[in-house]
Amino acid sequence: MIYANRAVDTIKQVGPDGFIQATLDREHIFHAQTPQIFQAGLLKQAYAAHPQEAPAPTDEARLLESNGFPVAVFPSDSRNRKITHREDMNLLHTKNLRIGHGHDVHRCQKNRPLYLGGIHLPEGPGLLGHSDADVAIHALMDAMLGAAGLGDIGHWFPDSDPALRDIRSTRLLEKVWTDLKARGFRFLNADITIRAQAPKLAPYMEEMRACLAAILETESTNINIKATTTEGLGFVGRKEGMAADAVVLLEMGVEP
Ligand code: MG
């Protein structure tokens, strides 16, 4: 059997002189697609029977046809396009892309542990929040939910829920990602900026990226994390709090 798309254009048979010889009945014209699926024994038999001097068939169905085996046609999805010529690569760029932005702020609190980007930073200061207050993951989740058109984390994980007290944000991120996958989203990339006057975040960047990439089942190169101080200005500069922003790109409409 093969997948095939029914012809939507009128099909002309054109002679070597460039003039139309016939107009074919498009009701019975299909564009052969892949995959093409055959019983291995029959396919081997058809290859063996193909004369070596004969021109190569343009698809395997032709081999089966010319050996008298019936080949069934199943209607394909019109989005199932074959990539044959270089210009077909442009088809790859017609994705349904969705962008989202997230922003979060948490107040510094010395007697709490500091979690950022999914990892523990022993220097602190910690951040105050109902969960572990991982400001980077919160911005990331809000960006993901924004891209998916699914509201925000306040709605998903209300701070009135006692079950979420001190919960690690990595667990919340796992839940968001599981849900987005089930809805047919594919994660493409994220860019996160953390604003903190202290501690120095550079030594932790790779560990944060690896942690988030593992949860989102993607490569570390798809998670960019930047850190900046605010030159001593504002609540971040006074070490009263930390903030984070994130942008995320998702692809919508992929198979769950
Ligand atoms: Mg938050």
Side-chain angles (χ1 to χ4, degrees):
M1 60 149 283
I2 67 166
Y3 282 103
N5 286 331
R6 185 182 289 280
V8 290
D9 299 319
T10 300
I11 308 289
K12 304 290 187 187
Q13 185 174 324
V14 180
D17 58 359
F19 285 86
I20 293 171
Q21 292 179 330
T23 297
L24 307 181
D25 181 0
R26 71 178 178 191
E27 273 301 295
H28 302 291
I29 302 288
F30 286 78
H31 298 274
Q33 299 286 308
T34 50
Q36 302 195 339
I37 302 164
F38 310 105
Q39 288 177 26
L42 297 183
L43 186 59
K44 284 179 186 167
Q45 207 177 317
Y47 266 110
H50 185 71
Q52 283 202 331
E53 62 280 9
T58 55
D59 71 349
E60 289 181 325
R62 181 67 193 273
L63 273 177
L64 277 284
E65 296 160 45
S66 55
N67 279 278
F69 298 118
V71 179
V73 169
F74 282 78
S76 174
D77 189 309
S78 61
R79 291 172 298 177
N80 176 29
R81 303 288 296 274
K82 279 200 297 189
I83 305 295
T84 306
H85 304 291
R86 178 171 290 276
E87 58 269 27
D88 296 337
M89 294 298 283
N90 293 331
L91 294 170
L92 297 176
H93 302 303
T94 58
K95 291 175 176 172
N96 192 355
L97 302 181
R98 305 279 302 232
I99 194 169
H101 170 257
H103 173 75
D104 196 29
V105 171
H106 280 270
R107 183 184 294 275
C108 291
Q109 172 114 341
K110 282 204 172 66
N111 56 1
R112 296 239 320 166
L114 175 61
Y115 293 100
L116 280 178
I119 67 169
H120 179 232
L121 287 75
E123 299 100 310
L127 295 170
L128 183 62
H130 186 65
S131 67
D132 67 3
D134 187 326
V135 73
I137 289 188
H138 292 188
L140 173 63
M141 289 192 292
D142 258 350
M144 291 169 65
L145 292 172
L150 291 172
D152 61 33
I153 55 170
H155 173 74
W156 276 56
F157 308 114
D159 59 12
S160 55
D161 184 349
L164 300 176
R165 176 164 294 285
D166 292 330
I167 194 171
R168 290 294 308 275
S169 297
T170 44
R171 290 188 50 206
L172 306 180
L173 181 61
E174 282 164 9
K175 179 165 173 25
V176 167
W177 176 230
T178 301
D179 197 277
L180 293 196
K181 266 195 304 184
R183 292 168 189 257
F185 285 97
R186 187 159 79 94
F187 180 87
L188 294 180
N189 76 302
D191 186 20
I192 303 167
T193 302
I194 303 170
R195 281 181 279 152
Q197 195 63 37
K200 280 215 172 310
L201 300 182
Y204 298 104
M205 287 298 180
E206 287 312 309
E207 198 184 336
M208 288 186 203
R209 292 174 78 187
C211 172
L212 300 179
I215 293 170
L216 297 174
E217 300 168 285
T218 189
E219 304 292 322
S220 283
T221 49
N222 294 328
I223 311 276
N224 193 65
I225 305 178
K226 308 188 293 286
T228 182
T229 68
T230 55
E231 305 274 333
L233 297 171
F235 71 87
V236 170
R238 293 190 297 272
K239 302 182 185 177
E240 292 168 4
M242 297 183 197
D245 291 273
V247 283
V248 161
L249 201 60
L250 303 179
E251 184 185 355
M252 189 166 78
V254 298
E255 288 294 318

